[in-house]
Amino acid sequence: MKNLDLNKLIGAFCVAGLVFLFGKWAATSIFSRHEPSKHHGDHEMAQAYSIEVEAGDSQGEAPVAIDVGALMASADPAKGENVFKKCKACHAIDGSNGTGPHLDGVVNRAVGSVAGFSYSDGMASLGGEWTPELLVEFLGDIKGTVPGTKMSFAGIKNPQQRADLIAYLTPNFNAADYSASTAPAEDSQSNEDAHTDAAH
């Protein structure tokens, strides 16, 4: 009788062990993680997700030549005054310097020439004058035009808004003084905010 009980006990342990091993195998088969196949020709391909990226997302848009003369010929100083409201935090037109230099007479003024203002090395070494052509280029791509500038503003996307702003900053502006086919500038900026020139 004792042998029979012992056999039953041993059998019970064996059955329990088999159930445990089978359960572990089943769980491993169901929940195991498979590494993606590196061979695209394999019949069994690992599931994957693809993310579509629009062209141009990772690279800047190609510069587009714009006709500065045509922009200035249709510029509106009144609209430029409205654009300039976004510049007042850094620039003034009363002859006083703030975070940026004052913009009195900035159009055709020598770059980096406002007395008493400390320009960045990039701005100080740029040279030339703030012609409408240079201003249109600068306002469209500030850091691209003047590497190392202290200005944190990214630029103005709309070229016509740049021209309106320049017209507002031009004393006695006359659209008739401009015509199409003035030397074009390259437009590469995509920021939609408006700001002003010249300067940190």
Side-chain angles (χ1 to χ4, degrees), residues 10-145:
I10 293 174
F13 275 112
C14 290
V15 171
L18 289 173
V19 171
F20 174 77
L21 291 175
F22 177 78
K24 183 178 180 181
W25 172 82
T28 301
S29 299
I30 294 172
F31 299 106
S32 62
R33 299 172 64 180
H34 300 281
E35 294 296 327
S37 173
K38 295 182 180 179
H39 303 286
H40 297 292
D42 289 348
H43 294 292
E44 183 178 350
M45 297 294 292
Q47 184 178 8
Y49 296 94
S50 62
I51 301 175
E52 295 184 2
V53 179
E54 294 184 5
D57 283 355
S58 61
Q59 297 180 351
E61 296 180 359
V64 177
I66 57 177
D67 191 330
V68 176
L71 287 175
M72 296 305 301
S74 60
D76 186 342
K79 292 180 179 179
E81 182 177 10
N82 188 55
V83 174
F84 182 74
K85 291 178 181 179
K86 299 183 180 182
C87 310
K88 289 184 176 180
C90 296
H91 299 280
I93 52 174
D94 62 1
S96 61
N97 295 327
T99 303
H102 72 77
L103 300 181
D104 289 348
V106 65
V107 181
N108 295 320
R109 182 175 77 194
V111 176
S113 62
V114 173
F117 186 81
S118 177
Y119 290 94
S120 63
D121 292 340
M123 188 66 70
S125 62
L126 182 61
E129 297 181 345
W130 286 118
T131 62
E133 292 75 28
L134 180 56
L135 284 167
V136 166
E137 179 184 354
F138 176 70
L139 291 170
D141 186 4
I142 292 173
K143 293 187 181 297
T145 304

